[in-house]
């Protein structure tokens, strides 16, 4: 019997999730889907604003748009499974999908960490080499740095997966989490995982802690330079660096707590996991936009452009459909305006299908056949 258990491969894992109470699960579903939608809206706002507003075509905002794209990806990897699990019981995930989720979670998460490092380098050059900044951080350099961040995330993740898939899983399959992650999965392996845990901690926890310390020291040096030497745009530079430090703390703090220790279960684990996977990607765009006057102004200009373009499209459509005479007059005092508005918004949409069907024999025959099928299916 023991030999049979050791050779039986686990094909799926059961995710315990955040709660076993259906009422609480529904409340949590509403909360987390709101957070997820907010994450998408906030980060997409940054991406589209950077793309369409010419004044934001600078290295800093190019990196910020890439961070927004990574935040969406990072949140999606865990949020979709969490939301589905809150509405289903039992909440299971296959072994292959579990490994895939771990890969993409660490791929996007590590890419975010490396990109935050690149953003720190960008701020350092902007403060210490302001005259050469745009020459140094040209388009080719920015694209290369972003590609290097993505490549770093890929290498980090593929090393983790390479170690993980060597472990045998032949017994317990209950994961005390709402998504698949290395600390919980490793503990279910049917072998001694001490060496594996050391490798995982060194590849994740120690690297993250070292990066965080280096970045904190770097931003401390940058802040000292801003306070003592920068006069023009001092407030803007301080605000930008403060936002970066807050984002660094939100990203690296929970990651250090989760990965920079032996893989043991602590009461606060799930709180940090929710914060790391869902709350931080939602807060990042808020932090960068609320403390950035240039970004807020650009978003307002983009909104005005969208509204004005929709107004022009609506006006053109109205003049085309109604063929209003081009007579100079005061629109607010013209007595037929309300009649024309009702005709355009209510009567015309109602008449269009009637006109097309009454004069189209093929359409009328198709409608008759569809009605006959409906009656026949109801009788059967």
């Amino acid at each position: 019997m023991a030999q049979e258990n050791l050779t039986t491969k686990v094909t799926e894992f059961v995710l315990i999730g955040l709660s076993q109470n259906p009422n609480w699960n529904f409340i949590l579903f509403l909360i987390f889907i709101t957070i997820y939608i907010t994450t998408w809206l906030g980060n997409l706002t940054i991406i589209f604003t950077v793309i369409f507003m010419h004044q934001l075509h600078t290295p800093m905002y190019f990196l910020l748009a890439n961070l927004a794209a990574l935040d969406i990806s990072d949140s999606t990897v865990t949020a979709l499974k969490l939301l589905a699990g809150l509405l289903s019981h039992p909440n299971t995930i296959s072994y292959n999908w579990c490994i895939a989720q771990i890969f993409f979670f660490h791929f996007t998460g590590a890419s975010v960490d490396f990109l935050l490092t690149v953003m720190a380098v960008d701020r350092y050059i902007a403060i210490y080499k302001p005259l050469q900044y745009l020459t140094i951080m040209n388009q080719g350099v920015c694209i290369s740095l972003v590609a290097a961040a993505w490549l770093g995330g890929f290498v980090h993740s593929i090393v983790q997966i390479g170690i993980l898939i060597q472990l045998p899983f032949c017994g317990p399959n209950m994961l005390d989490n709402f998504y698949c992650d290395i600390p919980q999965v490793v503990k279910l392996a049917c072998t001694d995982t001490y060496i594996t845990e050391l490798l995982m901690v060194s590849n994740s926890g120690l690297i993250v802690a070292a990066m965080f310390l280096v970045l904190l020291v770097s931003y401390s040096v940058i802040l000292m330079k801003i306070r003592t030497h920068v006069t023009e745009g001092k407030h803007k530079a301080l605000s930008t660096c403060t936002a970066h430090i807050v984002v660094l703390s939100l990203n690296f703090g929970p990651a250090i707590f989760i990965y920079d220790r032996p893989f043991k279960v602590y009461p606060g684990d799930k709180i940090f996991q929710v914060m790391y996977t869902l709350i931080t990607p939602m807060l990042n765009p808020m932090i960068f936009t609320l403390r950035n006057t240039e970004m807020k102004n650009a978003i307002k200009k983009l909104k005005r452009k969208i509204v004005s373009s929709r107004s022009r499209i609506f006006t053109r459509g109205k003049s085309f459909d109604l063929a209003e005479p081009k007579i100079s007059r005061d629109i607010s005092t013209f007595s037929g305006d309300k009649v024309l508005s009702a005709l355009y918004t209510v009567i015309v949409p109602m008449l269009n299908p009637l006109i097309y069907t009454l004069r189209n024999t093929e359409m009328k025959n198709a409608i008759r056949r569809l009605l006959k099928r409906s009656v026949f299916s109801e009788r059967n």
Side-chain angles (χ1 to χ4, degrees):
M1 181 63 70
Q3 181 66 28
E4 182 181 350
N5 287 338
L6 288 174
T7 57
T8 302
K9 181 178 174 61
V10 171
T11 58
E12 67 176 14
F13 296 102
V14 178
L15 299 173
I16 296 177
L18 298 173
S19 172
Q20 300 300 310
N21 187 318
N23 295 327
W24 273 109
N25 282 346
F26 182 70
I27 294 172
L28 291 173
F29 175 83
L30 295 178
I31 294 172
F32 290 135
I33 197 171
T34 302
I35 291 173
Y36 184 56
I37 292 172
T38 305
T39 300
W40 268 87
L41 292 177
N43 286 290
L44 282 179
T45 299
I46 289 179
I47 292 170
F48 286 127
T49 304
V50 172
I51 291 174
F52 291 109
M53 301 307 292
H54 181 72
Q55 66 267 31
L56 299 185
H57 290 180
T58 62
M60 184 181 76
Y61 291 109
F62 173 75
L63 298 175
L64 181 58
N66 278 274
L67 178 64
L70 280 171
D71 279 333
I72 292 175
S73 304
D74 194 22
S75 177
T76 300
V77 171
T78 55
L80 294 182
K81 185 58 183 173
L82 169 63
L83 295 172
L86 290 171
L87 299 180
S88 62
H89 186 78
N91 182 19
T92 61
I93 184 170
S94 69
Y95 174 83
N96 291 333
W97 276 111
C98 182
I99 297 298
Q101 187 179 50
I102 293 173
F103 170 77
F104 285 108
F105 176 66
H106 282 267
F107 173 37
T108 55
S111 297
V112 168
D113 293 340
F114 287 122
L115 186 61
L116 289 173
T117 304
V118 171
M119 294 174 75
V121 173
D122 171 74
R123 290 300 84 204
Y124 181 87
I125 297 173
I127 299 300
Y128 277 84
K129 302 285 184 180
L131 298 179
Q132 294 85 24
Y133 171 62
L134 292 179
T135 303
I136 297 172
M137 295 294 292
N138 57 62
Q139 185 178 9
V141 171
C142 289
I143 293 174
S144 299
L145 289 173
V146 170
W150 284 80
L151 181 60
F154 176 80
V155 171
H156 161 79
S157 185
I158 205 69
V159 170
Q160 300 274 68
I161 295 300
I163 298 172
L164 186 62
I165 60 176
Q166 302 299 320
L167 298 175
F169 297 94
C170 53
N173 66 339
M174 302 287 289
L175 287 175
D176 189 15
N177 205 350
F178 57 90
Y179 65 98
C180 281
D181 200 8
I182 290 171
Q184 293 78 27
V185 174
V186 166
K187 300 303 289 186
L188 298 181
C190 303
T191 185
D192 182 20
T193 59
Y194 179 74
I195 300 299
T196 302
E197 290 184 31
L198 287 179
L199 292 173
M200 295 293 191
V201 169
S202 62
N203 189 30
S204 295
L206 294 180
I207 292 177
V208 169
M211 289 174 63
F212 185 51
L213 289 176
V214 170
L215 289 173
L216 283 182
V217 171
S218 301
Y219 275 110
S220 299
V221 173
I222 293 172
L223 289 174
M224 290 177 60
K225 174 72 173 180
I226 293 172
R227 290 182 180 277
T228 56
H229 294 85
V230 177
T231 54
E232 185 178 352
K234 183 174 183 178
H235 176 74
K236 179 183 175 181
L238 284 172
S239 179
T240 302
C241 288
T242 303
H244 284 210
I245 293 172
V246 173
V247 171
L248 281 178
S249 302
L250 288 173
N251 279 274
F252 284 93
I256 291 171
F257 179 84
I258 295 170
Y259 301 110
D260 199 18
R261 57 182 171 82
F263 294 160
K264 295 181 180 180
V265 177
Y266 292 93
D269 281 356
K270 290 184 180 179
I271 297 174
F272 281 94
Q273 286 159 353
V274 168
M275 183 176 177
Y276 183 59
T277 59
L278 296 170
I279 306 299
T280 298
M282 178 189 70
L283 291 179
N284 284 348
M286 297 181 184
I287 295 168
F288 280 115
T289 54
L290 290 176
R291 297 188 61 87
N292 190 320
T293 305
E294 189 175 11
M295 175 63 76
K296 287 190 289 186
N297 292 335
I299 292 173
K300 291 176 184 176
K301 289 180 182 178
L302 182 62
K303 286 182 180 178
R304 286 196 293 267
K305 279 187 176 182
I306 294 172
V307 172
S308 62
S309 63
R310 288 180 63 184
S311 300
R312 286 196 299 270
I313 293 172
F314 178 78
T315 304
R316 290 172 184 172
K318 183 174 178 179
S319 62
F320 175 78
D321 285 330
L322 298 178
E324 289 179 323
K326 297 181 180 179
I327 300 175
S328 177
R329 57 184 174 79
D330 184 2
I331 295 179
S332 62
T333 59
F334 184 60
S335 60
D337 271 356
K338 293 183 179 179
V339 177
L340 292 175
S341 298
L343 177 65
Y344 175 70
T345 58
V346 180
I347 306 300
V348 171
M350 179 186 69
L351 290 178
N352 284 342
L354 296 177
I355 294 169
Y356 282 114
T357 53
L358 289 176
R359 297 187 61 85
N360 190 319
T361 305
E362 189 176 6
M363 178 64 76
K364 288 189 289 185
N365 291 336
I367 293 173
R368 290 193 189 102
R369 286 195 296 269
L370 181 61
L371 292 173
K372 288 179 182 179
R373 285 183 183 178
S374 300
V375 173
F376 179 78
S377 62
E378 288 178 1
R379 289 178 179 176
N380 290 339

